Amino acid sequence: MRHAAIAVFCLVAVPILAACGFQPLYAQREDGRGVPEQLAKVRIGDITDPAASTMRGFRGYPVENDRSRQILRNYLLDDLQPRGGAARTEYVLSIDVIEPRTDVAIDRSDTTLRYGYSVVAYFSLRDAAGRDLLRSSSVSSTSFAVSQSEFATTSSQRDARDRAMQEISRDIRNQLAAYFHSAAQATR
């Protein structure tokens, strides 16, 4: 009985969604202007530290190493171009990354037990002519435990960094997808 009700609901809901103009965001189009095709045309440019003026609010926080930028680039390649890049790129994505780390939990002997780890990414999408198309940011926060073992602490920190970079990559992909979808709707 319950399965029949779900089947009837689906049979009614699908035509209603189709009639209201619903389109899947990541659907490929015959004209090559769908979101997946546009994402494949994005070249990942420089991933750097932001300008000193941007860093004002983050004074006193240690900045993590360059490995974070490599991890973010790899996640972006997987998220934007899962089938490989397009023959020619039409867009350049530039990113500035800040990675502040703060003491979250401190015991009575003034020993840090847990660090808060954040990633703030400011990014811009430019076309081949260098015109700004989109400027935005993405933020991810996590934490990691400090233990007696240096290996365990390092592993925990690397895992936190990896999770944060993956979340930043997905958020950037989603913002770019929304931009390309809106741009395609505006040209119809």
Side-chain angles (χ1 to χ4, degrees), residues 50-67:
S53 61
T54 308
M55 294 292 286
R56 266 188 246 132
F58 295 95
R59 266 185 253 160
Y61 294 122
V63 176
E64 299 300 320
N65 61 25
D66 290 335
R67 179 70 179 129

Side-chain angles (χ1 to χ4, degrees), residues 26-98:
Y26 291 102
Q28 293 186 352
R29 293 178 28 184
E30 293 87 32
D31 63 1
R33 298 191 59 198
V35 170
E37 294 88 0
Q38 295 301 316
L39 289 174
K41 295 177 184 177
V42 174
R43 179 175 63 84
I44 301 165
D46 294 331
I47 301 177
T48 60
D49 291 332
S53 61
T54 308
M55 294 292 286
R56 266 188 246 132
F58 295 95
R59 266 185 253 160
Y61 294 122
V63 176
E64 299 300 320
N65 61 25
D66 290 335
R67 179 70 179 129
S68 300
R69 286 138 184 83
Q70 294 170 342
I71 292 168
L72 179 58
R73 179 178 298 278
N74 289 339
Y75 277 125
L76 284 168
L77 286 171
D78 290 344
D79 285 342
L80 298 179
Q81 303 165 351
R83 294 185 186 106
R88 66 182 171 95
T89 59
E90 295 182 15
Y91 311 99
V92 177
L93 178 67
S94 299
I95 306 169
D96 293 330
V97 178
I98 303 171

Side-chain angles (χ1 to χ4, degrees), residues 99-137:
E99 301 174 74
R101 187 177 69 192
T102 57
D103 299 337
V104 174
I106 301 172
D107 68 4
R108 292 178 190 221
S109 66
D110 206 25
T111 303
T112 303
L113 301 174
R114 190 161 201 80
Y115 280 108
Y117 178 76
S118 300
V119 178
V120 181
Y122 300 97
F123 65 93
S124 64
L125 181 70
R126 293 185 177 92
D127 63 9
R131 292 180 298 235
D132 276 338
L133 302 175
L134 175 67
R135 283 189 173 274
S136 189
S137 63

Side-chain angles (χ1 to χ4, degrees), residues 13-27 29 181 185 188:
V14 170
I16 291 172
L17 286 175
C20 74
F22 171 78
Q23 296 174 345
L25 181 63
Y26 291 102
R29 293 178 28 184
H181 182 73
Q185 295 300 317
R188 282 188 169 183

Side-chain angles (χ1 to χ4, degrees), residues 132-152:
D132 276 338
L133 302 175
L134 175 67
R135 283 189 173 274
S136 189
S137 63
S138 179
V139 178
S140 176
S141 296
T142 187
S143 64
F144 63 93
V146 178
S147 73
Q148 298 290 332
S149 166
E150 186 176 335
F151 176 77

